[in-house]
Amino acid sequence: MTSISIKTAEDIAGMRIAGRLAAEVLDFITPHVKAGITTGELDRLCHEYMVNVQGTIPAPLNYCPPGYTPYPKAICTSVNDVICHGIPGDKVLKNGDVVNLDITVIKDGYHGDTSRMFYVGEPSIMAKRLGDITYECMWLGISKIKPGAHLGDIGYVIQQHAEKAGYSVVREFCGHGIGKVFHEEPQVLHYGRPGTLEKLEAGMIFTVEPMINAGRRDIKEMPDGWTIKTKDRSLSAQWEHTVLVTETGYEVLTVSKDMPPPPAFIVQATTPPAANPAA
């Protein structure tokens, strides 16, 4: 527990700004995600928007954790069977493709991290269902966040929902603490048992970002050292928000004007009942 930082009021204010800006990059790029564009062009557009419009720094660019080569681009573009860390390049998006765009910006030293699934043209029924279930998984995990809950509660509800739908949860990659450091403690697993792992405290900030495969959970690393694919070539989906543990529950920090709303059952579960005017 001692290695998990509790953010100050100043930190939280900075993280709200960084989170909003990251989400706004996804709002900006949405109309450009269509058949005929390359993933490299999506990267160029996002990079220019971050630097020239927002005054932010793209955190992935030249990011180099131990054992890796520096990541060469500003965003991650993971198409179809790519689970995560797809490097933008010459790949042309075509009708029916699904793509995850993962954005992390740095503003005044704080990191905002979020990702969304996009459908190019008309997705297959299978692809749309996978994206929808993965989105529900993320929000179910977020809904468990409050002081006194455990990280295992988040992983458990995600795993249950994914596996009930016939899907599998990637184990090798997970959510993470975030602040002035891109990746810090805790690790937020997307599988597990309730009541296990670290207990949550107000002031913690971390990501919830389940990676769900239509087939088996096994992964394959590509020769570039970054791109991770499903071993059986099945489709994969991911959604991500950065979340603050508040005194009474949670606050999603990666919010923007055009972000997709939570699933209806999550809204119902977290919206307090209206006051009775007759009372």
Side-chain angles (χ1 to χ4, degrees), residues 11-211:
D11 292 332
I12 292 167
M15 289 296 288
R16 284 194 183 105
I17 293 169
R20 174 179 56 80
L21 290 167
E24 287 176 354
V25 177
L26 289 169
D27 289 356
F28 159 77
I29 201 62
T30 295
H32 300 281
V33 184
K34 55 189 177 184
I37 197 168
T38 65
T39 54
E41 180 68 1
L42 293 175
D43 176 78
R44 184 189 69 80
L45 290 166
C46 288
H47 192 175
E48 289 185 355
Y49 183 78
M50 292 177 201
V51 174
N52 297 332
V53 177
Q54 294 184 328
T56 60
I57 298 167
L61 185 60
N62 296 318
Y63 179 65
C64 190
Y68 285 76
T69 55
Y71 188 80
K73 297 290 182 176
I75 69 173
C76 296
T77 55
S78 300
V79 183
N80 295 335
D81 62 333
V82 177
I83 297 170
C84 61
H85 304 158
I87 299 175
D90 297 332
K91 183 172 182 60
V92 178
L93 296 182
K94 63 183 187 301
N95 190 53
D97 282 344
V98 296
V99 55
N100 175 274
L101 299 185
D102 195 344
I103 305 293
T104 308
V105 303
I106 307 171
K107 184 68 172 181
D108 299 328
Y110 293 101
H111 292 72
D113 190 0
T114 186
S115 81
R116 294 179 197 166
M117 293 301 295
F118 293 86
Y119 304 112
V120 182
E122 191 64 34
S124 68
I125 293 171
M126 182 178 71
K128 182 69 165 61
R129 180 174 183 264
L130 175 64
D132 289 348
I133 293 292
T134 304
Y135 190 62
E136 291 171 2
C137 282
M138 176 187 69
W139 274 104
L140 283 166
I142 290 171
S143 73
K144 295 297 179 184
I145 295 173
K146 62 181 180 180
H150 290 259
L151 285 174
D153 303 341
I154 299 170
Y156 175 76
V157 71
I158 290 171
Q159 182 181 7
Q160 290 295 109
H161 193 62
E163 293 180 353
K164 183 179 178 182
Y167 299 143
S168 60
V169 179
V170 173
R171 306 292 182 98
E172 291 83 357
F173 297 91
C174 60
H176 53 89
I178 188 168
K180 288 187 173 178
V181 177
F182 193 169
H183 296 95
E184 60 184 31
E185 292 298 322
Q187 294 189 58
V188 183
L189 305 181
H190 302 119
Y191 61 93
R193 292 182 293 114
T196 62
L197 305 177
E198 289 90 344
K199 186 179 288 189
L200 304 185
E201 292 183 22
M204 291 181 178
I205 296 178
F206 49 80
T207 68
V208 178
E209 49 179 302
M211 295 161 228

